[in-house]
Amino acid sequence: MNGAGRASAGVALLAALGVLTGCGDAGDDKEVVPTLAVRAGGDEITADATQYCLDGDGQRFQTSAPIIEVAPDTTIELTVSEAVAAAGWSVQVFDEELQQILGEVDVPAGESTFSEITSSDVAPPTFYLVVVETADPDACSGLSGAWPVGFIRAGG
């Protein structure tokens, strides 16, 4: 394949990837699955949803929860999109196997950031925080958005 052929094939591939990743025209009315921003002492990372009510259809995604190593007493800051903040959300605390819920905190209505938890507030040194969007009972059979993030407390 000559250089021009490779270039046009590359452009076509990039265009196809843009469609697959949800990039589209500014006028595109399709809803986009929001990500969760997480800051725990260092740089901000993002977490993808494992499930979400997208355009009225319940969707489950094959994604792995990020795992963050944190120092004791590190403030954990979770930030959701405006749409999730408007719907309402909570933070669920799970054990290291993401099987047993240890607690839950409701975030005040309309708030997009929650930073009222530290890495030492949870008894086991390895745990998950799961951000859960308040479900709309009339959409997606009550399926809500969920964004899990794992934490390993150093020295634990």
Side-chain angles (χ1 to χ4, degrees):
M1 189 180 287
N2 66 25
R6 278 193 297 263
S8 64
V11 169
L13 178 62
L14 287 174
L17 287 174
V19 169
L20 289 175
T21 59
C23 298
D25 294 331
D28 193 359
D29 288 339
K30 292 288 285 179
E31 184 180 3
V32 175
V33 178
T35 57
L36 169 70
V38 182
R39 183 177 304 277
D43 294 331
E44 183 175 282
I45 65 154
T46 58
D48 293 323
T50 55
Q51 63 184 42
Y52 192 71
C53 183
L54 184 62
D55 293 325
D57 292 321
Q59 303 287 319
R60 294 190 190 274
F61 307 103
Q62 295 298 319
T63 185
S64 297
I67 308 291
I68 304 169
E69 187 170 345
V70 292
D73 299 317
T74 299
T75 298
I76 299 169
E77 181 179 278
L78 306 166
T79 303
V80 299
S81 70
E82 289 181 23
V84 173
W89 57 292
S90 63
V91 179
Q92 296 177 346
V93 182
F94 279 85
D95 66 355
E96 71 272 359
E97 296 176 9
L98 202 54
Q99 296 296 312
Q100 181 182 6
I101 190 165
L102 304 174
E104 183 172 7
V105 179
D106 288 324
V107 177
E111 293 288 323
S112 61
T113 300
F114 178 76
S115 58
E116 303 290 320
I117 191 167
T118 73
S119 58
S120 295
D121 288 340
V122 181
T126 303
F127 59 94
Y128 282 87
L129 297 180
V130 181
V131 167
V132 179
E133 182 178 27
T134 303
D136 178 351
D138 297 327
C140 298
S141 300
L143 178 79
S144 64
W147 296 262
V149 180
F151 295 89
I152 299 172
R153 185 173 53 244

